[in-house]
Amino acid sequence: MKNQPFKTTERYSLRIGVLIAALLVFDALVLGFGIRRSNSVKNPGDSADVLTPAPTVSATAAPVPAPTEEPINVYKSLLNIPYDRTGYEAANPNDGFTSEWVPSSEEGAYVETANTPETIVANVNAAGSSVTSAAVSRWGIPFESGKSYHIYLNAASTLNRSIQMRAYNGDTGVSFGSTLLSLNSDLNYFEWSFTVPAGAGGYNGVLSFDLGNNGVTDPHTVTIHALRIIGQDDNKAVRVNQLGYLTTEQKRCTFIYSCGDLFDVVNAETNEIAYTGAIVGRIEDGYTAETDYYGDFTNLRFPGTYFIRTQNGLISQPFVISSDPYSVLQGSAIRMLSYQRCGQELTEWAGALAHPACHTGEANFYLTDVMKDVTGGWHDAGDFGRYVPTGTKAVNDLMLAYLTAPDEFTDNIGSPDSGNGIPDILDEARYEMEWLLKMQLEDGSVYCKATSAGFPSDSTAPENDTLPVLLFAPDTVSTADAAGSFAIASMAFREIDAAFADRCLEAGKNAERYLSHHRDYKLTINPPDVSAGQYLDESDADARFTCKMALYAATGDKHYAEDAKEIYEEDDSVINSVSWKSNGIFGAYLFLTAPNAETDDPEFYKEILGRLKNAADGMVSAAGGSAYGVSNIMYEWGSNSFVCNDGIVLAMAYDVTGEQTYLQTAIEQLNYVLGKNSLDYCFVSGFGTRSPKNQHNRLTVSKQTMMEGALSGGPDASREDDVMEVMPGNTPPAKMYKDDYHSYSTNEVAIYYNSALIYLIAAIE
Ligand code: 9MR
Ligand code: 9MR
Ligand code: ZN
């Protein structure tokens, strides 16, 4: 006998023992390779016509298959989890397959199971007194009132017998129907449908195979193979990146409760099953209050549009597998910054968001007579403020993204400067840099922000905002932040515009000189009569460190690196993360990628490399403990930006070390914001199947339209606006989000949220 189990000519002579042996052989053969199903293997849920020669059961008995029929539809699904699980297993001791098909015995019966994800193997050792004395059943299947369900399976028994298949409500016991299957030692195909009566359904449905005494009492083995329960096609219990996955990289989905023993990746166009994997890794996730599982389909590398469907029929949003799933998003995310431009007319390119130039007058240095032109730059977020700590973070993300992956950026994203021969990402960065240069004083210091004294009403259009723009006092935080950006700009623009690069470098050196004469931390905060936004950064050490490292990278002048070393030796926590608050990792990365750093100071180089790896390792381990592979555990204001910022750190660690785990974990961070999260939400407006439409942004509210490509702040458990105040008391942290423009603590847009997303995409693609 050949070890090809599913050949037509042999199908009726195939004995169960051989089948199992063959499955194991095939398992071993495919382990480590993706399984692409042949065209002849159809998804039973959608292509019942190709399931010939299915010996279908009517209510009572299985018809005998006609001998002329095509190959029996034995589902060739196999346990296949061939991915590198390093880094996940350590943090997740529950990883691994647990069958949810459990045996039960009473009235003298005794049944045991030995299941794999694709096959239920039940040894009926004692049959008891009736057919229901022994059973293998699955609880917790959503069988909803009025809906029809279709069961597909192959089954066999070592002794000829009939078994009973039965569906019922596990809470009330109300039956939805039953059918008998006549089994023999051949693996035969069956299908059965039932409809849940009105009012009888529920989420704790049960499908049971009754294996007790039905005339046969000798010990025997019943095998149920390739079982699928279809009929939940509107029940989204599987979370995916709604944009899609890169062909060559890790691909994972999360199941928000127990959805069966296996999942299929279904081709959305042909309805064929392209891949089958096991559902593994049960985890109690405190942030979502879910019991989650995950699936891995990394080895499916055929481009296409797919969705996930589990053994119990629960599905995901559609997604693509492609070598280029994020480039449209990338362009749109950059264009979002163009929409945020202040002091410039937004012309036709901006569509419904077009508006005359705003905030064009001179700004007044608060409580003085000084007037200054600081027009330009981006509106920070949903307000019109322009803040140095966040403007610098945003522009750094853009310039570093460009420096890391210059070839990825085009000049045709449809932003105002497209087609000028310069990559649009640099045009956008320059718009902010020109503003930042205006924010600098002669002594090198930098005003901390240009805002009105309070926020205008939510529906104020930018061009109609008449509140005077005020400048607030320079401080060391903003000066150090700006110095870093000036130095980075001198590198990013070097080849495109050397004169501009020189201007930026001079500004950076000037700011750095100011800082060396002002060594004490100083932060400007809102005076009592000012209620504008503010960014309360409690330390300037990270910014000072990064400014020195950026100048070192830009000039090669060793004394900057020596200064940075001094700052680091005084407080090594400067290397920690990237955000508007803390940007030491930018400094570390600039040092580690500077041409001579390793030879200039090998010891220090090692030290800094170790710090960066430490930070990234912490994120990898946190991600391993998350059902969504997400490292962030702070569901606070701007949480989606924390996720992207972690992705940046991981991507930088990958860039410097080449360690795959860092890249994989970075990808998981992107997956999270694009839909693989508990809310089944792609947090970028205009992308994915479910995404925000009512973001907090005065521009979109005033124009009564939406803006594409903007990342929402995301869940914030601290209830910091009226909408969140009234969220139900038991809402878990990761679900504290609402697509409501009044929810500025969860649904506001911001330049530094988007920029982090832009960097992350650039680093991954
Ligand atoms: O629109 C403002 C937003 O940009 C800020 O993030 C937020 C917190 O500073 O404040 C928003 O403005 C609100 C103000 O603080 C209180 N009145 C309602 C305003 C918006 O609805
Ligand atoms: O991101 C800021 C958050 O950490 C603060 O808790 C919040 C309240 O002050 O302000 C956030 O920043 C907002 C800023 O004040 C004004 N522009 C929009 C910012 C993002 O919502
Ligand atoms: Zn403006």
Side-chain angles (χ1 to χ4, degrees), residues 340-344 355 357-360 376-379 384 386 462-463 465 469:
Q340 296 291 110
R341 286 189 186 188
C342 183
Q344 187 183 65
H355 66 82
C358 55
H359 308 107
T360 49
W378 302 307
H379 299 141
F384 302 133
R386 286 166 288 150
E463 69 276 19
D465 179 19
V469 176

Side-chain angles (χ1 to χ4, degrees), residues 381-383 455-456 458 531-534 637 696 698 741-742 744 748:
D383 62 328
F455 295 112
D458 283 354
S531 60
Q534 60 182 341
W637 198 311
H696 185 80
R698 283 172 177 72
Y741 82 81
H742 295 108
Y744 44 81
E748 186 164 0

Side-chain angles (χ1 to χ4, degrees), residues 6 75 106 112 119 156 166 177 179 189 198 622 685 722:
F6 307 121
Y75 231 90
E106 55 188 36
E112 288 173 309
T119 310
R166 191 160 55 98
T179 185
Y189 174 75
S685 53
D722 294 349

Side-chain angles (χ1 to χ4, degrees), residues 592-614:
L592 294 170
T593 53
N596 300 318
E598 203 168 356
T599 43
D600 281 357
D601 190 342
E603 277 299 293
F604 189 49
Y605 186 90
K606 248 206 235 143
E607 172 71 23
I608 299 299
L609 182 61
R611 282 304 293 208
L612 174 60
K613 288 185 63 172
N614 267 352

Side-chain angles (χ1 to χ4, degrees), residues 105 108 125 234 250 301 356 485 613 709 729:
S105 315
N125 301 314
D234 54 351
Q250 172 169 290
R301 295 198 169 89
S485 295
K613 288 185 63 172

